Amino acid sequence: MSQEISEVNKTDVLEGFEIIIGLEVHCELLTKTKLFCACKNQFGDEPNTNICPVCLGLPGSLPVINKRAVELAMRIGKALNCEVLPSTFHRKNYFYPDMPKDFQISQYDMPINANGYLELPDRSRVGITRAHIEEDTGKSMHLGGSGRIAEASNSLVDYNRAGVPLVEIVSEPEIYSSQQAKDYVQELRQILVAIGASDGRMEEGSLRVDANVSIKPKGSEVFGTRCEIKNLNSLRSLGLAIEYEARRQAELIKEGKSVSQETRHFDENSGRTSSMRSKEEANDYRYFPEPDLVPLDPDTAWIEASTADVVALLPITKRKNLEALLGEEYSSQAALLVGIGLDEFAYKSIEAGADSRLVVNRVINELARDIEQAKQISIEGFVELISLEATNKLSATQSKAVLQEMLSSGGKPVEIAKRLGYEQIDANEIYKVIDEVIANNPAEWERYLAGDDKVVQFLLGQVMRSTKGRANGKEVMQIFAGKQLSN
Ligand code: ADP
Ligand code: MG
Ligand code: ZN
């Protein structure tokens, strides 16, 4: 809420401008071993324990490509509607302590995937320029000061991450707001997790986002100069960094200055971006072909075998399936259910005959509170519960209580309902109780018959008291209304 307010307050400086964003997302692949050696690909291990001559770049060592990494890259390509292409590897040369070889093996002019798109839940499409394979670098840690190298007293380096397989997914500059950028990363993250390519843990650096941001006058065909904000590791930071950066650029332009192309760092504490390096000091990577690796040219059979199940696993497919069952008016609930991973549970329950409105409602409002626990209850039991509610054998309140009991201690809904005293009284008994209540409260009943609808809550309360809550409120109200009408 506070963020929404501050965004509203600050819109003035951006008025008349459009924001243009292109995202580069680095995804660590969920392989057992690294990209070019047999070292473990494992986050959080003791520093410098998963290393060997290959990932340390010792002289004479040779890279051997990890087959699973190539398969996962092709799965990503398929998920992002890319063409899977013959590709080659290059050396990208630079000197940095976390790059023990002084170069990174990456794909350059011939990436494995190109020319795709990602469709967001709101149906907007963002072009995918390329999604190529490369190796991750090691990790340096700067001690003392803020964590940045300038103020550090010591630096440590951990090479466990050096050589971990990455796919870098580069979007076209076709994202137009911080919200759309967040939606894009969220959808991409869901896709990568669904197809088994990534664990999606942004906080552990499994997914890292660089945001290229520029602004231009509304309606202008010419793009403005962009700045690239490096290494955003949460959706929140991504949104805040884009908002801050777009406003910074707008202020420069309003002051008659110009934006210079540079790489910037986002500081989580201050919420500001600051310059890391300008284009003039940009690295010259001296790309050249990697002599120790042959080109990759997967044949059709291998591509098909590795990607055949991808489409069925995609969140967009699951949303569409659920929407087909529920109707388009349920599209936001369908998206929510897919997002929390309870779509299949809802789908199967409805398919088994449970009332779809009640299923969606109970899953979103009750089961979503603890998703792991929710996955423990059987579809059969859930369907049975929903049908007890749909046929008025349980009231909404009772049904929710039974569901909680099913979640916490298991058991069949009918038995739990019995144990909780929710066995409903039969129709004859209800009529008898209602007649008694009317006889005992003649004045209130007269007022009700005369059209005073407020008094009905009192009468209903009396019925509930006599039946110890076993009567179905809806049914009692219907009987009251019938008597009022026929009076
Ligand atoms: P580089 O090789 O320097 O990273 P690219 O041309 O590959 O440059 O672009 C990198 C990213 O920048 C892509 O995601 C692209 O969509 C984005 N981009 C390019 N031009 C702009 C722009 N004017 N505004 C915002 N993003 C842009
Ligand atoms: Mg770049
Ligand atoms: Zn190794």
Side-chain angles (χ1 to χ4, degrees):
M1 197 55 176
S2 63
Q3 192 186 333
E4 273 166 46
I5 291 167
S6 72
E7 277 174 25
V8 171
N9 288 341
K10 287 198 222 147
T11 41
D12 29 327
V13 69
L14 272 173
E15 216 169 275
F17 288 107
E18 282 174 61
I19 309 180
I20 304 287
I21 303 155
L23 296 179
E24 296 166 80
V25 177
H26 287 89
C27 163
E28 283 181 355
L29 300 179
L30 211 50
T31 54
K32 290 202 179 72
T33 56
K34 293 188 181 181
L35 186 54
F36 298 119
C37 61
C39 290
K40 262 203 300 179
N41 168 16
Q42 180 70 52
F43 178 85
D45 277 1
E46 183 80 13
N48 298 309
T49 50
N50 299 327
I51 52 175
C52 76
V54 175
C55 52
L56 287 179
L58 299 187
S61 62
L62 288 173
V64 178
I65 188 123
N66 179 329
K67 185 177 173 195
R68 187 61 189 152
V70 177
E71 288 171 352
L72 290 177
M74 294 193 291
R75 290 172 76 76
I76 293 174
K78 174 84 174 181
L80 298 175
N81 304 288
C82 290
E83 296 169 62
V84 177
L85 302 163
S87 61
T88 58
F89 291 92
H90 273 67
R91 289 186 180 182
K92 182 179 180 181
N93 297 278
Y94 61 100
F95 174 77
Y96 203 71
D98 63 12
M99 278 303 306
K101 293 186 292 204
D102 287 346
F103 62 83
Q104 176 190 26
I105 302 178
S106 180
Q107 296 191 311
Y108 183 50
D109 51 353
M110 291 179 69
I112 186 164
N113 304 296
N115 308 321
Y117 65 86
L118 186 153
E119 186 174 318
L120 299 183
D122 69 4
R123 302 277 146 90
S124 63
R125 282 186 183 184
V126 177
I128 301 293
T129 318
R130 52 192 281 146
H132 64 262
I133 302 173
E134 62 185 29
E135 57 180 338
D136 209 343
T137 61
K139 210 168 164 180
S140 358
M141 220 179 15
H142 307 299
L143 306 180
S146 68
R148 298 188 67 189
I149 195 166
E151 302 121 38
S153 56
N154 293 293
S155 289
L156 300 173
V157 65
D158 173 11
Y159 289 127
N160 281 354
R161 200 179 69 178
V164 162
L166 291 177
V167 164
E168 178 178 346
I169 300 151
V170 182
S171 88
E172 290 289 302
E174 293 176 352
I175 298 168
Y176 304 109
S177 68
S178 59
Q179 186 57 52
Q180 196 188 6
K182 289 196 279 186
D183 292 348
Y184 170 93
V185 173
Q186 194 170 19
E187 181 71 7
L188 184 56
R189 184 179 166 278
Q190 273 192 44
I191 291 172
L192 295 169
V193 172
I195 65 173
S198 166
D199 62 22
R201 296 190 190 130
M202 290 187 84
E203 68 288 357
E204 290 184 1
S206 302
L207 280 188
R208 310 192 291 270
V209 183
D210 300 341
N212 296 270
V213 179
S214 68
I215 59 167
K216 65 182 178 68
K218 268 200 179 116
S220 162
E221 299 281 303
V222 189
F223 281 4
T225 303
R226 73 182 147 110
C227 288
E228 180 173 357
I229 313 159
K230 282 285 184 194
N231 270 332
L232 298 160
N233 56 13
S234 70
L235 290 181
R236 189 182 125 81
S237 294
L238 172 67
L240 293 175
I242 292 170
E243 289 295 326
Y244 177 85
E245 181 57 22
R247 292 200 162 83
R248 186 189 70 86
Q249 295 180 10
E251 268 156 24
L252 281 176
I253 291 169
K254 290 227 160 126
E255 287 166 12
K257 298 178 185 154
S258 60
V259 177
S260 44
Q261 188 173 339
E262 59 188 4
T263 306
R264 297 179 70 86
H265 164 81
F266 177 67
D267 182 79
E268 312 232 352
N269 297 319
S270 67
R272 294 156 179 264
T273 65
S274 58
S275 184
M276 285 168 75
R277 55 177 181 267
S278 71
K279 182 141 197 235
E280 287 73 54
E281 8 168 341
N283 290 314
D284 172 6
Y285 293 122
R286 295 174 294 117
Y287 277 100
F288 68 87
E290 165 60 61
D292 295 333
L293 288 167
V294 294
L296 268 181
D297 190 5
D299 60 25
T300 318
W302 189 29
I303 299 175
E304 276 173 10
S306 333
T307 62
D309 61 333
V310 164
V311 172
L313 296 172
L314 296 178
I316 191 172
T317 310
K318 296 184 165 181
R319 286 196 297 266
K320 284 184 175 164
N321 288 345
L322 200 52
E323 251 185 73
L325 200 64
L326 290 169
E328 227 175 281
E329 66 274 23
Y330 278 97
S331 67
S332 61
Q333 286 96 327
L336 191 64
L337 287 167
V338 173
I340 59 179
L342 288 177
D343 55 296
E344 208 174 290
F345 184 86
Y347 190 95
K348 287 189 175 156
S349 304
I350 296 166
E351 222 180 20
D355 178 84
S356 55
R357 190 188 58 83
L358 279 177
V359 167
V360 169
N361 200 300
R362 293 292 170 263
V363 174
I364 290 178
N365 295 320
E366 309 298 317
L367 296 185
R369 279 188 235 152
D370 187 341
I371 288 152
E372 287 318 305
Q373 198 183 36
K375 287 180 177 160
Q376 305 301 316
I377 72 168
S378 76
I379 289 178
E380 201 189 343
F382 183 68
V383 170
E384 203 179 308
L385 175 74
I386 295 296
S387 85
L388 289 174
E389 186 178 347
T391 54
N392 287 329
K393 295 204 177 67
L394 288 180
S395 69
T397 317
Q398 291 172 336
S399 160
K400 285 181 204 170
V402 172
L403 186 54
Q404 283 315 312
E405 198 55 29
M406 288 167 71
L407 285 169
S408 56
S409 40
K412 294 202 156 103
V414 178
E415 285 161 15
I416 296 171
K418 208 180 234 172
R419 180 149 40 87
L420 295 177
Y422 294 159
E423 239 184 327
Q424 290 214 333
I425 49 181
D426 65 42
N428 288 336
E429 201 184 334
I430 290 184
Y431 279 102
K432 218 176 90 197
V433 171
I434 288 176
D435 287 343
E436 274 167 26
V437 166
I438 292 174
N440 293 337
N441 303 280
E444 284 78 9
W445 184 246
E446 278 308 314
R447 274 166 53 204
Y448 176 64
L449 291 183
D452 177 355
D453 281 330
K454 278 184 211 141
V455 77
V456 78
Q457 286 305 327
F458 166 78
L459 294 162
L460 176 64
Q462 296 303 306
V463 175
M464 285 304 181
R465 221 176 61 172
S466 310
T467 59
K468 299 201 175 69
R470 279 151 64 232
N472 182 309
K474 253 197 260 168
E475 208 179 321
V476 174
M477 292 295 270
Q478 277 164 8
I479 298 171
F480 282 162
K483 287 183 182 281
Q484 194 187 38
L485 269 177
S486 62
N487 181 48

